Amino acid sequence: MTAFESLFARMQELKDLSGVLGLLMWDQETYLPRKSEPARASQNGTMQALYHEKLTDPRVGEWLAKAEAEPLSDDQRAMIRVFRHERDRAVKVPAGLVKAIAEAQSHALGAWREAREQRTFKPFQPALAEILKLRRQQADAIGHDGERYDALLDGYEPGMRVTRLTPVLQSLREKLVPLVATLSEAAAKKPDAIAGRTFPKDAQWKFTIKLLEAMGFDLDAGRQDLSIHPFTQSTHALDVRLTTRIDEQNPYPALFGTIHEGGHGLYEQGFAETDWRTPLAAAPSMGLHESQSRLWENIIGRSRAFWEHFYPSLKQHFPAALDAVSLEDWLRSVNRVARTLVRTESDEVTYNLHIVLRYEIELLLIRDQLPLDELPGEWNRRIDALLGVRPKDDVGGVLQDIHWAWGEFGYFPTYSLGNLYSAALWKAMRRDRPELDDRLRRGDLLVAREWLREKVHRPGFRTSAEERVRAATGEGLTDAPFLEYLKQKYGALYGVAV
Amino acid sequence: MTAFESLFARMQELKDLSGVLGLLMWDQETYLPRKSEPARASQNGTMQALYHEKLTDPRVGEWLAKAEAEPLSDDQRAMIRVFRHERDRAVKVPAGLVKAIAEAQSHALGAWREAREQRTFKPFQPALAEILKLRRQQADAIGHDGERYDALLDGYEPGMRVTRLTPVLQSLREKLVPLVATLSEAAAKKPDAIAGRTFPKDAQWKFTIKLLEAMGFDLDAGRQDLSIHPFTQSTHALDVRLTTRIDEQNPYPALFGTIHEGGHGLYEQGFAETDWRTPLAAAPSMGLHESQSRLWENIIGRSRAFWEHFYPSLKQHFPAALDAVSLEDWLRSVNRVARTLVRTESDEVTYNLHIVLRYEIELLLIRDQLPLDELPGEWNRRIDALLGVRPKDDVGGVLQDIHWAWGEFGYFPTYSLGNLYSAALWKAMRRDRPELDDRLRRGDLLVAREWLREKVHRPGFRTSAEERVRAATGEGLTDAPFLEYLKQKYGALYGVAV
C-alpha cells in the first residue's frame, strides 16, 4: 500500500465514525428515552474519544508526510488538505485541555440554565470566565498571527480572518441601521394578518412534506422528524435527517423551519457520489452551509414568486385560518420587519445586526478587552444603539443564546456570512437562469436545486467557501448583493423608497 | 493502574460500543431511509471491526493474564470469566475466516431470497454448502471435544452441550407427538371465533402500550416502534427498544408480539445498576432470554387469569370485532392448537416439534452426515413424521427460516430451552408467590416482574443459564414442568384427558 492508500482507508473509517456520531446526535434529539441521557453521554464520549484516537494516531502523521511526496491527483491533494486541517487542529490541542474544555462546557451549560432561571447574568459569569480562558488557551495552542479570534473562527469558517471579516460587517452595519429604521416603520403601519389564528398540526406536517418534495429533497435518502430545536444531521449523503417544530398558534416555525433545514439537507444530499466516503463530501464552511438554508428559507421561501404558486395550496390546508387573508397580506406577514430583542425570532433585515453585536462583543472577550462585570450593560447599550430596543432583563439580552455556554466563540459570524453568500449566489443564479422567476412562479423549484447542486453542492470541500462563491458568482465576500436584494424586495413590498 | 483496572476500562468502552451497535441495528429496522442501506452497512462494518480490534487487542490478553493473579472480588472474577468467553471465541477465529463468513452470509442471504422466489431449494444449495463448510472450520478453530456443534451452540448458549441437550429434546419429542394429536383434534372441532374480523390500527397500538405499562416496562427508559420483523434491542438498560407489527386482519402479532418483546425488554431493563457498564449486564444465554419472552407471551399472556382482567378492556378497544366473542371463545382462539407447516405461526404446544426438527437436521449438517441434495426431502419426511403435514414446496419447508442463510447453526435449540426454562420458572414463581393467580386476575402483573427481576434479571451473567434456573427453581434443564403446564392448561381448556 502507498502512504496515500493507508491514509485513504483511515479517512473512510473516520467518515463512517462521523456518520455514526451523527446518528447518536440525531437520536438524542428525537427518540432517546428520557432516562437514558447519561448513558448516551457515556456512549457519545467513548465514540468521540475513539474518533480522536484514530485521527491523531501518529501513523497518520507519517502517512501524511509520505503521501505528499507521492504522485497524487488534484482530488487526492484536496483530500489531504482538508484532512490535515482537521487533524492539525486536533493534534495541536493537548489532551488535558480538550478534557478541561469538555468539563467547562458541561459546567457552563448548567450555569447558563441556572442564570436564565434567575433572569440575571451573575450566576453564569464565573463559568463563562473559565470557558473563555480555556478557549484562549486553545486558540494559542492552535496558533495565530496575533489575533486569537482567527484560530477559533477558522474552526467554523476555514480560511476566514478578522482582518477580512470586520470591514465587511462594519459596512453592513452602517447600511442596515437606516434601512431597518425605514422598513420597520413602514411595516408597523399594518397589523399582522395572521395573528391569533390556529393552524392544525396534521395539516402543518403534511404541508412541510409537500414543500420538501417540491424542493427536490429525496425522502428515500433522508427523513423529517420532530424535535424541540430543529436541525439537520446527516449520517451519509444518502441518509440526511431534518427536524421541524410545529406550533399550532404560529405556522412559521414549521413552514420556514422546514424550508431552512431543507436547504441544509439538499447540500448534504448533493455531494458527488465519488466523494461520499472522503473528506471532500463536506461543506467548506459553516457560512456556506448556512447560505443554502438562508437562500431557500428567505430568498426563495419568502418570495412573491414562490407564494404565487404555493399560497392557494396553503389556503386549502388551512381554510379556517387563511380564508380571509390575501396573498398580499400573507407576503407582508412573512416578511414583517421589526426591531426586536431576540435573534432567533428576527427577520432577515434586522438579523445581521444581531450578529454584528455578538461578533463585536466576542472579539472584545477573546482579546480580553471587556471585563465580564460590564458584559450585560455593554450588550444592552449596543443593542439599543443598533436597534433602538433595550432588554428588560438578561434573558432577553446577554443570556439569550446557548452558544457561549457551549464555548462556541467564532460561530456567530458564519450566520452573517451565510446571508451574504446566499444573496451573491441568488444574483448569479438569476444571471445564469433568466427563466428562474417564471419557473418558481410555476412551483418548479428544481431549477434552483440544480444550479446550487452544480455550483455549490457537488464540488464539496475542494476549495474554501469564499473561493467557491467566487467561482460561482464572479466575486468574493461582499455585502453588495445582499443589500441590493433587501432594497429591491422590501422597497416593492412596502412601497417605500430605500 | 492494576491490570484489572485497565481491563475494566476496556470492558466499559466495549459496552458503550456495543450499545452504539445496538442503536445502528434498531435504526436500520425502524427509521433508516431506504436508499441508505449500503451506507449503513459500511458504517456498521467499520464499527464491528473497531469492536473486534478493541476486544482482541493483545494488551487485553496481558491484562487478563495479570488480573487473574490480583486480589479480586467474586463479581470481578465473574466479569473476567464472561469477558474471556467472548474474547476467546473472537481471538481463536482467524481474521480471514471472519471475513469469509461475512461474505458467505451476504451471498447466502441473496441466494436464499432467490430460492424463495423460485420456491425451490436448488438455488440456495451451493451457498448453504459454503457457509456450512466455513462454520465447521469456525467450530474447529474455536475447539471442541469431537462434537463440532458444541462450539457453535456455545456461542448462543454458553455451557450447553449436545450430550446434555439431545436427551431432553428427545424426551420432549416423544411426549409432544401424542399430545399434539389429541389437542389439535379437540381444537379443530370449533371454528376460530375471531376469524374474518377487523381490528383498527390505532386501537391496536394503544392497547399494546397499555399492556407494556401494565407489565411494568418503563417507557421513560425504553420505547416501542413499528418494524416488519419485531425485535428487542437495547443500547443500555435505560434505553431498551421494542418493536411490534400491526395487522388489521389479525390482532395477534401486535398483542402477543408486544407481550413477547416486553418480556425481553423487562430483562434488559432489569440488570443491576452497578453492572450496567460491565459484561455482567447481560443474559447468560439466548435460551434464558427467550424464557422471559415466552413466559410473558404464552404462560401469562395467554392465560385465563390474565384475560379475566384484560378482556373487558380489549372489548372496549375493539367493540365491532369482539362484541359477540365471549371470554371462552377468546381463550380458545388465542390458544388454538393446530398442526401447521410454519414455525413462526405455530402454537406453544406444536412449537417445540418444529425446533426438534431443525435441531436434528442441524446436527446432521454440521457433522456432515446429510448430503445437501437430500435435505429438502429429509425435511419433508421429518415434518410429516412429527406433525402429519407435508409442505407443498420448499418455501413451506426447508426455506422457511432465515437462520441458515445468516449462517446461524446452533441457534434454534435456544428457543426450546426458552420454553422449558419458562415453565420451570413459572412453577417456582407460583410456589414462591401463592397469591400469584389472584393478583394476575386483578391485572397486577408487577408481582411477576418483581419475582423475575430478583431471580433472573438482576443477577445478570453471574452464572450460566442452567445454574440460574437451578438457583431459582431447584432443578436444572428438564422438560417436566413444561409438559405439566401444557397438560393442565390445555386439558382444562378443551375438556380432554391428556
Side-chain angles (χ1 to χ4, degrees):
Chain A
M1 289 229 285
T2 65
F4 181 79
E5 283 164 349
S6 300
L7 204 55
F8 190 66
R10 180 60 59 93
M11 288 176 189
Q12 293 188 309
E13 198 179 354
L14 284 165
K15 196 80 184 176
D16 283 342
L17 294 184
S18 147
V20 173
L21 280 162
L23 182 72
L24 291 176
M25 185 276 185
W26 170 85
D27 185 71
Q28 188 170 333
E29 302 296 323
T30 50
Y31 295 119
L32 187 70
R34 188 176 59 78
K35 290 184 184 168
S36 183
E37 277 177 28
R40 174 56 54 85
S42 159
Q43 291 160 350
N44 203 43
T46 293
M47 285 296 298
Q48 297 274 9
L50 253 175
Y51 185 94
H52 190 261
E53 182 185 319
K54 290 278 175 189
L55 178 66
T56 58
D57 179 353
R59 282 177 306 170
V60 173
E62 292 162 23
W63 294 332
L64 273 169
K66 283 188 195 153
E68 284 177 351
E70 290 173 359
L72 298 178
S73 70
D74 286 351
D75 274 1
Q76 289 170 332
R77 295 206 179 276
M79 280 179 218
I80 288 185
R81 198 166 53 239
V82 173
F83 186 65
R84 187 186 277 288
H85 180 262
E86 181 189 0
R87 186 171 187 274
D88 280 356
R89 291 182 63 88
V91 168
K92 284 177 181 168
V93 185
L97 184 52
V98 171
K99 193 155 174 281
I101 290 173
E103 284 164 8
Q105 278 172 332
S106 168
H107 179 223
L109 273 170
W112 176 73
R113 293 204 175 96
E114 173 65 25
R116 282 175 64 92
E117 271 179 32
Q118 297 187 26
R119 307 194 76 84
T120 175
F121 174 69
K122 273 286 160 214
F124 182 43
Q125 185 173 327
L128 182 61
E130 175 67 14
I131 206 155
L132 269 167
K133 187 189 79 184
L134 294 170
R135 282 293 187 193
R136 288 189 205 107
Q137 287 176 15
Q138 185 192 23
D140 291 341
I142 291 168
H144 50 78
D145 300 332
E147 180 71 79
R148 277 187 181 127
Y149 193 84
D150 280 343
L152 302 178
L153 181 60
D154 195 69
Y156 310 110
E157 198 67 26
M160 186 51 61
R161 296 291 175 264
V162 168
T163 50
R164 174 122 192 80
L165 184 58
T166 299
V168 175
L169 292 184
Q170 266 175 359
S171 155
L172 187 62
R173 175 198 173 133
E174 281 160 25
K175 290 159 194 159
L176 281 179
V177 168
L179 187 63
V180 163
T182 308
L183 294 177
S184 61
E185 203 177 304
K189 286 181 184 157
K190 266 201 160 186
D192 188 337
I194 72 145
R197 320 251 168 168
T198 298
F199 297 79
K201 282 197 178 181
D202 280 0
Q204 288 201 45
W205 178 263
K206 276 183 195 144
F207 199 80
T208 62
I209 295 294
K210 192 182 155 87
L211 287 173
L212 289 174
E213 285 168 351
M215 290 170 70
F217 180 79
D218 184 350
L219 284 158
D220 286 327
R223 46 183 297 113
Q224 182 176 257
D225 296 87
L226 296 174
S227 74
I228 295 168
H229 304 288
F231 62 91
T232 297
Q233 179 69 59
S234 64
T235 85
H236 189 279
L238 290 176
D239 181 21
V240 179
R241 303 182 182 209
L242 323 176
T243 68
T244 196
R245 178 168 75 83
I246 297 183
D247 174 353
E248 294 213 316
Q249 306 316 311
N250 177 5
Y252 297 159
L255 291 181
F256 297 105
T258 288
I259 304 175
H260 180 99
E261 303 306 334
H264 283 305
L266 288 179
Y267 202 160
E268 295 288 313
Q269 286 188 340
F271 298 125
E273 184 167 350
T274 43
D275 292 342
W276 283 348
R277 281 183 85 208
T278 81
L280 298 182
S285 82
M286 301 304 295
L288 196 60
H289 221 308
E290 195 72 6
S291 78
Q292 301 304 290
S293 54
R294 297 282 168 165
L295 195 159
W296 281 100
E297 176 193 350
N298 290 329
I299 303 185
I300 295 177
R302 295 180 199 265
S303 72
R304 179 179 297 274
F306 180 89
W307 287 110
E308 278 183 9
H309 176 81
F310 284 100
Y311 193 58
S313 163
L314 189 76
K315 280 182 96 144
Q316 283 171 5
H317 280 73
F318 305 101
L322 297 177
D323 193 38
V325 179
S326 70
L327 175 61
E328 288 307 315
D329 289 339
W330 174 255
L331 285 172
R332 277 179 171 255
S333 176
V334 306
N335 289 294
R336 201 172 166 79
V337 180
R339 304 162 183 247
T340 54
L341 287 169
V342 180
R343 174 185 65 85
T344 54
E345 294 165 8
S346 67
D347 57 86
E348 63 180 325
V349 186
T350 53
Y351 189 92
N352 293 296
L353 293 178
H354 291 277
I355 299 304
V356 165
L357 165 75
R358 286 155 179 76
Y359 173 65
E360 290 174 354
I361 289 180
E362 281 191 346
L363 260 181
L364 294 175
L365 290 174
I366 294 296
R367 287 172 177 166
D368 212 355
Q369 292 172 348
L370 175 62
L372 287 187
D373 280 338
E374 298 171 20
L375 174 57
E378 187 68 22
W379 177 290
N380 295 348
R381 267 191 302 283
R382 283 172 180 262
I383 189 82
D384 196 359
L386 287 165
L387 281 165
V389 287
R390 280 192 89 96
K392 281 200 308 286
D393 58 34
D394 293 337
V395 171
V398 70
L399 291 176
Q400 71 180 260
D401 299 301
I402 201 171
H403 298 59
W404 293 345
W406 273 335
E408 305 277 14
F409 297 91
Y411 194 106
F412 281 122
T414 72
Y415 292 132
S416 281
L417 290 169
N419 290 328
L420 301 184
Y421 287 149
S422 74
L425 292 168
W426 175 247
K427 185 179 168 189
M429 197 195 300
R430 297 182 79 177
R431 175 197 66 200
D432 294 351
R433 298 282 180 274
E435 75 282 16
L436 182 62
D437 274 4
D438 282 344
R439 291 182 64 177
L440 294 182
R441 211 167 273 126
R442 295 201 302 271
D444 174 6
L445 309 181
L446 295 187
V447 55
R449 188 194 72 170
E450 288 315 304
W451 189 88
L452 291 169
R453 189 155 277 184
E454 180 195 332
K455 302 292 183 184
V456 180
H457 306 171
R458 285 187 63 81
F461 207 154
R462 279 179 176 71
T463 63
S464 76
E466 191 175 357
E467 287 168 55
R468 174 59 39 213
V469 172
R470 194 186 301 280
T473 70
E475 45 188 353
L477 180 60
T478 152
D479 62 354
F482 179 68
L483 288 161
E484 183 188 22
Y485 154 76
L486 289 185
K487 285 178 183 175
Q488 279 194 2
K489 172 175 171 178
Y490 287 89
L493 193 66
Y494 289 110
V496 292
V498 284
Chain B
M1 288 228 286
T2 66
F4 181 80
E5 283 164 349
S6 301
L7 203 55
F8 190 65
R10 182 58 58 92
M11 288 176 190
Q12 293 189 309
E13 198 179 353
L14 285 164
K15 196 80 183 175
D16 282 342
L17 295 184
S18 149
V20 173
L21 280 161
L23 182 72
L24 292 175
M25 186 276 184
W26 170 83
D27 185 72
Q28 188 169 333
E29 302 296 323
T30 50
Y31 296 119
L32 187 71
R34 188 176 60 78
K35 291 184 183 169
S36 183
E37 276 177 27
R40 175 55 55 84
S42 158
Q43 290 160 350
N44 204 42
T46 292
M47 285 295 298
Q48 297 275 8
L50 253 175
Y51 185 94
H52 190 261
E53 182 184 317
K54 291 277 175 190
L55 179 66
T56 59
D57 180 354
R59 282 178 305 169
V60 173
E62 292 162 24
W63 294 332
L64 273 169
K66 282 187 195 153
E68 284 177 351
E70 292 173 356
L72 299 178
S73 70
D74 286 350
D75 275 1
Q76 289 171 332
R77 296 208 178 274
M79 281 180 217
I80 288 185
R81 195 166 56 240
V82 173
F83 187 65
R84 186 186 277 288
H85 180 262
E86 181 188 0
R87 185 171 187 273
D88 280 356
R89 290 183 63 89
V91 169
K92 284 177 180 168
V93 185
L97 183 52
V98 171
K99 194 155 173 280
I101 289 173
E103 284 164 8
Q105 278 173 330
S106 167
H107 180 223
L109 273 170
W112 176 73
R113 294 205 174 96
E114 173 66 24
R116 281 175 63 94
E117 272 178 31
Q118 296 186 28
R119 308 194 75 83
T120 174
F121 174 69
K122 273 286 161 217
F124 181 44
Q125 186 172 328
L128 181 61
E130 176 67 13
I131 206 154
L132 270 167
K133 187 190 77 184
L134 294 171
R135 283 293 188 193
R136 288 189 205 108
Q137 287 177 16
Q138 186 192 21
D140 291 341
I142 291 167
H144 51 80
D145 301 332
E147 181 70 80
R148 276 186 181 130
Y149 193 85
D150 280 343
L152 302 178
L153 181 60
D154 194 68
Y156 310 111
E157 198 68 25
M160 187 50 62
R161 297 291 176 264
V162 168
T163 49
R164 174 123 192 77
L165 185 57
T166 299
V168 175
L169 292 184
Q170 265 176 359
S171 155
L172 187 62
R173 175 198 173 133
E174 280 160 28
K175 290 160 193 159
L176 281 179
V177 168
L179 188 64
V180 163
T182 308
L183 294 177
S184 61
E185 203 176 305
K189 286 180 183 158
K190 266 201 159 184
D192 188 337
I194 73 145
R197 321 251 168 167
T198 297
F199 297 79
K201 282 198 177 178
D202 281 0
Q204 288 201 44
W205 178 264
K206 277 185 195 142
F207 199 79
T208 62
I209 295 294
K210 193 182 153 86
L211 287 173
L212 289 174
E213 285 168 350
M215 290 170 70
F217 180 79
D218 184 349
L219 284 158
D220 286 326
R223 44 182 300 112
Q224 181 176 260
D225 296 88
L226 295 173
S227 74
I228 296 168
H229 304 287
F231 62 91
T232 296
Q233 179 68 60
S234 64
T235 85
H236 188 278
L238 290 175
D239 181 21
V240 179
R241 302 181 183 210
L242 322 176
T243 68
T244 195
R245 179 170 74 83
I246 297 182
D247 175 353
E248 295 213 317
Q249 308 315 312
N250 177 5
Y252 297 158
L255 291 182
F256 297 105
T258 288
I259 303 175
H260 179 99
E261 302 306 334
H264 283 304
L266 288 180
Y267 202 160
E268 295 287 314
Q269 286 188 339
F271 298 125
E273 184 167 349
T274 43
D275 292 342
W276 282 349
R277 282 183 85 208
T278 80
L280 298 181
S285 82
M286 302 302 296
L288 196 59
H289 221 309
E290 196 71 6
S291 77
Q292 301 303 291
S293 54
R294 297 281 167 166
L295 195 160
W296 281 99
E297 177 194 350
N298 290 329
I299 303 185
I300 295 176
R302 295 180 199 264
S303 71
R304 179 178 297 273
F306 181 88
W307 288 111
E308 279 182 10
H309 176 80
F310 284 101
Y311 194 58
S313 163
L314 189 76
K315 281 182 95 144
Q316 283 172 5
H317 281 73
F318 306 102
L322 297 179
D323 192 38
V325 179
S326 70
L327 175 61
E328 289 307 315
D329 290 340
W330 174 255
L331 286 173
R332 277 181 169 253
S333 177
V334 306
N335 289 296
R336 202 171 165 78
V337 180
R339 305 163 182 245
T340 55
L341 286 168
V342 180
R343 174 184 64 86
T344 55
E345 295 165 7
S346 66
D347 58 86
E348 63 180 324
V349 186
T350 53
Y351 190 91
N352 292 296
L353 292 178
H354 292 277
I355 299 303
V356 165
L357 165 75
R358 286 155 178 78
Y359 174 64
E360 290 175 356
I361 289 182
E362 282 191 347
L363 261 181
L364 294 174
L365 290 173
I366 295 297
R367 288 172 176 167
D368 212 356
Q369 291 173 349
L370 175 62
L372 287 186
D373 280 337
E374 297 171 21
L375 173 56
E378 187 67 22
W379 177 289
N380 297 348
R381 266 190 304 282
R382 283 172 180 261
I383 188 84
D384 197 359
L386 287 165
L387 281 165
V389 287
R390 280 192 89 96
K392 282 200 308 286
D393 58 34
D394 294 337
V395 171
V398 70
L399 292 176
Q400 71 179 257
D401 298 302
I402 201 171
H403 298 57
W404 293 346
W406 274 334
E408 306 275 16
F409 296 92
Y411 194 105
F412 280 122
T414 71
Y415 293 132
S416 281
L417 290 169
N419 290 328
L420 301 185
Y421 287 149
S422 74
L425 292 168
W426 175 248
K427 185 180 167 191
M429 198 193 299
R430 296 181 81 178
R431 175 199 64 201
D432 294 350
R433 299 281 180 274
E435 74 282 17
L436 181 63
D437 273 4
D438 282 344
R439 291 181 65 177
L440 294 182
R441 212 167 272 126
R442 295 200 304 268
D444 174 6
L445 309 182
L446 296 186
V447 56
R449 188 194 73 169
E450 288 314 303
W451 189 89
L452 291 169
R453 188 153 278 184
E454 179 194 334
K455 302 292 182 182
V456 180
H457 306 171
R458 285 187 62 82
F461 208 154
R462 280 179 175 70
T463 62
S464 77
E466 191 175 358
E467 287 168 55
R468 174 60 39 214
V469 172
R470 193 186 304 276
T473 70
E475 46 187 353
L477 180 60
T478 153
D479 62 354
F482 180 68
L483 288 160
E484 184 187 12
Y485 154 75
L486 289 185
K487 285 179 184 175
Q488 279 196 358
K489 171 174 171 179
Y490 287 89
L493 194 66
Y494 289 111
V496 291
V498 283

